[in-house]
Amino acid sequence: MFNQIIVDNFCNPKYQGNMTAPEIVLALSNPVCGDKVDIFIDYNKEEDKFVQARFQAWGCTTSLAMSNIFCEYIENNPVSEIRAISNDDIRQLLGKLEPSQQHCTDMLISLFSQLKEKI
C-alpha cells in the first residue's frame, strides 16, 4: 500500500527529465533492490540557491516518487535550507512507509548527504 505522497509523486512526476550540462550530478544505486537514481541540478551562485533539479530513476514506485520529492524540495531553495535539513525532517518528506519501502528513506537521506558534500 502506498501513502498519498508517494502516489501523487509517482503519478505526476513534475521533475522527471535530464539536463544538457548540469552543474551538479548525484548518482545513487541500491544493489539489494536494484533501484538507480540520477539527479541533475543547476545552481545559481549569485543567489546561492538551486534553480533547477531533474531526475531519471529506475526501480520501484517509491524510489521514483522519492526522486521527484527530492527535486521538488531543493528546486528554488537556498543552500542554507538544504544544509540545515535534518535526517528526521528528511524522513517526514516521504510520509509513512511500509517496511518494504523503508530503503527509499535511506536513499533520500543519502541524496541529501551527497548534495551537502558538493555545496
Side-chain angles (χ1 to χ4, degrees), residues 70-113:
F70 177 80
C71 290
E72 180 178 35
Y73 189 86
I74 67 165
E75 190 171 283
N76 292 314
N77 272 325
V79 170
S80 59
E81 185 172 327
I82 304 308
R83 284 189 176 124
I85 192 168
S86 70
N87 286 351
D88 287 336
D89 292 335
I90 293 168
R91 285 184 190 93
Q92 292 179 13
L93 293 175
L94 299 180
K96 185 173 170 78
L97 299 178
E98 298 290 327
S100 64
Q101 301 166 327
Q102 289 298 325
H103 69 282
C104 291
T105 301
D106 297 334
M107 291 176 70
L108 185 58
I109 289 170
S110 181
L111 283 173
F112 274 99
S113 293

Side-chain angles (χ1 to χ4, degrees), residues 4-98:
Q4 197 60 46
I5 295 169
I6 300 303
V7 170
D8 291 346
N9 280 276
F10 176 78
C11 292
N12 301 301
K14 299 175 189 172
Y15 299 92
Q16 189 171 22
N18 201 345
M19 287 185 196
T20 307
E23 294 174 286
I24 299 172
V25 176
L26 307 176
L28 184 64
S29 63
N30 185 326
V32 175
C33 66
D35 293 342
K36 181 179 180 328
V37 175
D38 294 328
I39 305 286
F40 311 100
I41 304 167
D42 277 340
Y43 170 69
N44 182 318
K45 291 178 178 116
E46 291 80 34
E47 294 181 24
D48 203 30
K49 73 177 186 176
F50 303 106
V51 292
Q52 187 177 36
R54 296 294 178 264
F55 77 92
Q56 290 185 325
W58 304 265
C60 69
T61 300
T62 307
S63 70
L64 274 69
M66 176 272 305
S67 301
N68 196 67
I69 291 165
F70 177 80
C71 290
E72 180 178 35
Y73 189 86
I74 67 165
E75 190 171 283
N76 292 314
N77 272 325
V79 170
S80 59
E81 185 172 327
I82 304 308
R83 284 189 176 124
I85 192 168
S86 70
N87 286 351
D88 287 336
D89 292 335
I90 293 168
R91 285 184 190 93
Q92 292 179 13
L93 293 175
L94 299 180
K96 185 173 170 78
L97 299 178
E98 298 290 327

Side-chain angles (χ1 to χ4, degrees), residues 43 115 117:
Y43 170 69
L115 183 57
E117 288 174 10

